[in-house]
Amino acid sequence: MSLFKFQSYDLVVCGAGPAGLMAACTFARQTGGARRVLLLDKKAPWKEPIFCAEAVSENRLGKLWPIDRSWVRGRISGIYFTSPSHYRAEFYSKNCGLILDRSGFHHALADGCAEAGVECCFDALVKSLSRNGDGSWDICVKGPDGAPVSVTAKTVIDATGPGARITRGIECLEGIESGDTDLEPAVFAVAEGIEHSAEHIELFFGSEFQDGYGWIFPRDGVEVNIGFVLGKSALPGTSLREKLKSFIAERYPQAKIKAIYGGMIACGQSQRPMALCGLFKAGDAASCVNPISRSGIVESMLCGKIVAQSVAEWLDAGTPDARQKVEREVLDHWMKELGNAHLQIARAKPGFNAIKDSQFDRAAKSLSKLPREKQTLFRIFFAVLWACPSLIWKMRSFLK
Ligand SMILES: Cc1cc2nc3c(=O)[nH]c(=O)nc-3n(C[C@H](O)[C@H](O)[C@H](O)COP(=O)(O)OP(=O)(O)OC[C@H]3O[C@@H](n4cnc5c(N)ncnc54)[C@H](O)[C@@H]3O)c2cc1C
């Protein structure tokens, strides 16, 4: 029996993370069963571990997918901003965020895909793509028994995450976004024995994070996710695992590390094409992570949704010119929704990275003296600017 129901599809989505799941589901719902769509991943999207701290804005996620308590670990009502000398500013806003159980969340999205008519195959490693003479795509997959299987598609969405290996070296895709804009390394541990607030995330700033930041995200009141992302300029040869272990040992000597995981985050916004020749990029494969917060779950879902709508338009377009127009417009659409904001943030990032430890300390110290209700995000932002006047010029992209 063949791995797939059909030999050819209107759309094959490669990668079933938030971007691919959202793209496949959006496309199937929009086309109402009139188009064949296949979703491929090398593993079941709910299979642990998932390399993520799992924090999202409740408001932004709720606009894309109905929130279900069964896949929410907890609610977040605040953020501690901690300076190198451990001064703490606190931003408080009741129920502003969620900590997801991403495994359960992915399961819900995958169920949504199946209900909408998406054929899901979660034991299929995409090995390579090639373009046929008639403009369709051949997708070569390694199935569960290790044997290669090929399937044909009019359009493909690459949602395979950062680095986007499957589209490398394909001539007609020269210049396409490749999910490697400002690729930054991140590492975290799931640990116990760390005193923390179950309704706050804590962010650590300072030069030890080499243009990135550290974090503690609560999980279930007992365990935490503790880790950091380093800037792309992080010293070569830095062992993230060792650095994380000593960070934890110094600050939380009682902590018990249960497991350590790592991954890469594409933290910049390029303006390279997101679609060429019927192949579309979505999520981390399109470098759509917020360049400073490094959040990418909701961003990938939004990107997947936009791309899926464009694929439906592309398939309905009658001429090559009309299709090329759709391919150009997908980037415009993304830039309007979120990309332009990310571009501004990315431009301000060097200024933010230039803040000295003493300046972080000064800002956090002055904020920590204010009552909690006066520590608004606006005030926190301006306290940092005040402590570091040269930043005002560097951060002008935020101010204009
Ligand atoms: C350590 C860390 C912490 C993070 N914390 C947060 C956070 O707290 N909040 C937040 O919003 N974002 C966070 N992010 C970012 C977030 O995880 C990503 O932006 C998001 O997962 C991107 O979704 P995606 O669908 O584009 O890609 P992914 O989630 O990477 O999904 C890609 C999928 O493609 C599959 N795949 C890859 N190659 C192939 C292949 N050849 N064939 C078949 N399948 C393939 C993979 O198995 C995977 O399921 C974090 C990232 C890291 C690394």
Side-chain angles (χ1 to χ4, degrees):
M1 209 181 97
S2 166
L3 189 57
F4 309 119
K5 271 199 219 153
F6 305 105
Q7 179 46 44
S8 67
Y9 289 82
D10 292 297
L11 167 65
V12 170
V13 181
C14 304
L21 288 160
M22 188 71 188
C25 193
T26 305
F27 180 83
R29 285 179 180 170
Q30 182 165 336
T31 54
R35 300 263 186 206
R36 288 179 191 166
V37 51
L38 174 66
L39 172 61
L40 302 174
D41 203 293
K42 60 187 176 189
K43 60 171 182 52
W46 50 86
K47 191 169 172 210
E48 302 272 15
I50 295 169
F51 303 151
C52 185
E54 305 183 308
V56 289
S57 145
E58 176 164 10
N59 180 28
R60 292 180 59 215
L61 178 63
K63 286 186 181 147
L64 291 165
W65 198 267
I67 289 164
D68 186 316
R69 287 178 64 93
S70 66
W71 41 257
V72 173
R73 287 186 202 278
R75 288 182 185 279
I76 295 297
S77 293
I79 307 173
Y80 291 128
F81 296 93
T82 301
S83 74
S85 300
H86 307 222
Y87 294 109
R88 244 188 195 179
E90 179 188 5
F91 164 73
Y92 190 84
S93 167
K94 188 84 188 143
N95 294 335
C96 56
L98 297 175
I99 299 290
L100 301 180
D101 165 0
R102 258 186 81 172
S103 164
F105 174 56
H106 287 186
H107 216 313
L109 290 171
D111 288 347
C113 286
E115 274 161 32
V118 177
E119 184 182 332
C120 299
C121 186
F122 296 146
D123 206 346
L125 172 74
V126 177
K127 294 289 286 177
S128 62
L129 302 175
S130 54
R131 192 140 187 260
N132 297 316
D134 65 358
S136 66
W137 287 92
D138 257 2
I139 298 113
C140 179
V141 170
K142 187 170 144 197
D145 60 0
V149 188
S150 265
V151 67
T152 307
K154 289 181 188 155
T155 57
V156 175
I157 294 180
D158 173 14
T160 55
R165 288 190 190 86
I166 61 169
T167 55
R168 280 192 201 156
I170 299 176
E171 209 174 315
C172 69
L173 299 181
E174 183 79 38
I176 198 166
E177 171 55 57
S178 49
D180 54 2
T181 312
D182 281 4
L183 213 52
E184 297 179 340
V187 65
F188 69 88
V190 175
E192 279 183 10
I194 292 185
E195 204 182 311
H196 66 286
S197 152
E199 60 164 1
H200 286 78
I201 61 179
E202 179 157 14
L203 304 180
F204 301 89
F205 296 94
S207 52
E208 73 174 299
F209 302 109
Q210 302 176 25
D211 297 344
Y213 67 85
W215 69 71
I216 291 180
F217 288 14
R219 271 167 74 87
D220 55 4
V222 179
E223 284 179 355
V224 297
N225 177 317
I226 177 166
F228 51 73
V229 53
L230 301 184
K232 64 175 176 176
S233 57
L235 298 175
T238 307
S239 161
L240 295 188
R241 191 170 259 272
E242 291 313 312
K243 192 174 165 65
L244 178 63
K245 280 193 199 159
S246 51
F247 171 67
I248 296 173
E250 268 167 36
R251 298 196 186 213
Y252 309 99
Q254 312 299 330
K256 186 169 162 237
I257 296 177
K258 296 173 109 181
I260 295 185
Y261 306 104
M264 300 299 287
I265 314 183
C267 301
Q269 173 67 53
S270 83
Q271 284 175 292
R272 287 182 276 172
M274 282 171 69
L276 287 174
C277 306
L279 185 137
F280 293 71
K281 297 276 184 170
D284 278 16
S287 297
C288 71
V289 173
N290 180 306
I292 282 194
S293 74
R294 278 80 165 181
S295 63
I297 300 172
V298 170
E299 292 74 2
S300 295
M301 292 173 71
L302 178 63
C303 184
K305 182 176 171 187
I306 290 171
V307 165
Q309 289 164 341
S310 298
V311 169
E313 260 183 64
W314 190 100
L315 288 164
D316 288 342
T319 63
D321 281 354
R323 289 181 164 171
Q324 280 176 11
K325 185 166 173 279
V326 174
E327 288 168 1
R328 282 193 302 275
E329 283 174 355
V330 68
L331 177 65
D332 297 343
H333 196 165
W334 166 252
M335 294 307 288
K336 203 166 144 219
E337 286 284 336
L338 215 47
N340 283 327
H342 283 186
L343 206 56
Q344 274 203 330
I345 296 170
R347 285 189 189 127
K349 205 164 158 181
F352 189 77
N353 292 342
I355 302 174
K356 296 193 178 90
D357 287 359
S358 57
Q359 292 166 323
F360 273 127
D361 281 335
R362 204 178 327 146
K365 191 175 176 185
S366 69
L367 283 161
S368 64
K369 291 180 187 150
L370 293 176
R372 181 165 88 177
E373 60 280 7
K374 291 207 169 155
Q375 297 187 41
T376 58
L377 275 185
F378 187 76
R379 227 187 200 123
I380 291 170
F381 183 71
F382 278 95
V384 174
L385 287 187
W386 187 248
C388 180
S390 66
L391 200 61
I392 294 178
W393 174 245
K394 290 177 184 147
M395 300 283 256
R396 62 193 183 282
S397 63
F398 272 131
L399 304 171
K400 67 181 180 195

